[in-house]
Amino acid sequence: MHIRHATLDDEDTLGRLDRATWSTLHAVSPRPQPPYAPFYSERFGPRDHLVAELDGVLVGYIRLGFPTPLASNAHVRQIQGLAVAAEARGAGVGRALLRAVQEEARKLGARRITLRVLGHNTPARRLYESEGFVVEGVLPEEFLLDGTYVDDVFMGRSL
């Protein structure tokens, strides 16, 4: 497995991966419909993504951003997206991306890293907990997905 920064050339592949992995297990927005918005935006570009390749094929990404635009919060980074292709699940891609993004956040001067995960996303929560993230707050029944109210779980850790 190879982890690297995303490039402009990765945009179409990342968009397809993002759409292919869409699920109410982790997404609170409606399923994307054509015409699809670009994967990169003014808010998030290649510099904000690490990607994982297996045998030269892009199979996952993780997005790192700021939780707020405030200078007083600039020492914190937030994971704002993680996706792994179905065919690569169970191969350690998510864990490798999670470890790499924590190192990237350290290099950028972050002291803390946070994320939000849906309460019913047990596989993701187990992964985050195994990497030292702890639950720091819960917004009960924050989202209504497929007719079920789902908690929004805030997790974080020091770097």
Side-chain angles (χ1 to χ4, degrees):
M1 182 178 336
H2 176 64
I3 306 290
R4 63 173 174 78
H5 282 93
T7 66
L8 285 172
D9 291 340
D10 294 323
E11 183 170 24
D12 288 341
T13 303
L14 287 169
R16 284 192 302 275
L17 174 64
D18 205 48
R19 292 187 297 275
T21 59
W22 184 95
S23 164
T24 56
L25 185 62
H26 61 82
V28 296
S29 300
R31 180 181 295 277
Q33 299 295 321
Y36 300 117
F39 183 81
Y40 296 137
S41 66
E42 286 184 24
R43 186 169 176 210
F44 296 111
R47 71 190 176 288
D48 304 307
H49 296 84
L50 296 178
V51 298
E53 293 177 325
L54 282 174
D55 300 321
V57 176
L58 196 152
V59 294
Y61 78 83
I62 194 163
R63 178 181 298 139
L64 186 65
F66 290 97
T68 74
L70 302 170
S72 60
N73 190 230
H75 63 286
V76 179
R77 294 298 187 282
Q78 188 172 62
I79 296 168
Q80 297 182 349
L82 171 62
V84 176
E87 64 273 13
R89 291 190 186 140
V93 174
R95 185 175 305 279
L97 284 166
L98 192 56
R99 289 178 177 175
V101 84
Q102 289 178 82
E103 183 58 33
E104 179 71 10
R106 281 186 198 97
K107 287 179 188 174
L108 295 170
R111 297 173 43 97
R112 282 184 37 78
I113 191 166
T114 63
L115 59 88
R116 293 168 67 175
V117 61
L118 294 175
H120 67 269
N121 192 344
T122 304
R125 291 182 65 179
R126 282 190 188 137
L127 171 63
Y128 301 141
E129 288 168 357
S130 74
E131 289 297 321
F133 287 81
V134 297
V135 174
E136 297 180 339
V138 176
L139 297 173
E141 299 184 351
E142 187 71 3
F143 298 102
L144 178 61
L145 304 173
D146 285 342
T148 302
Y149 289 99
V150 179
D151 295 348
D152 187 13
V153 180
F154 190 81
M155 301 180 80
R157 64 163 293 166
S158 297
L159 292 173

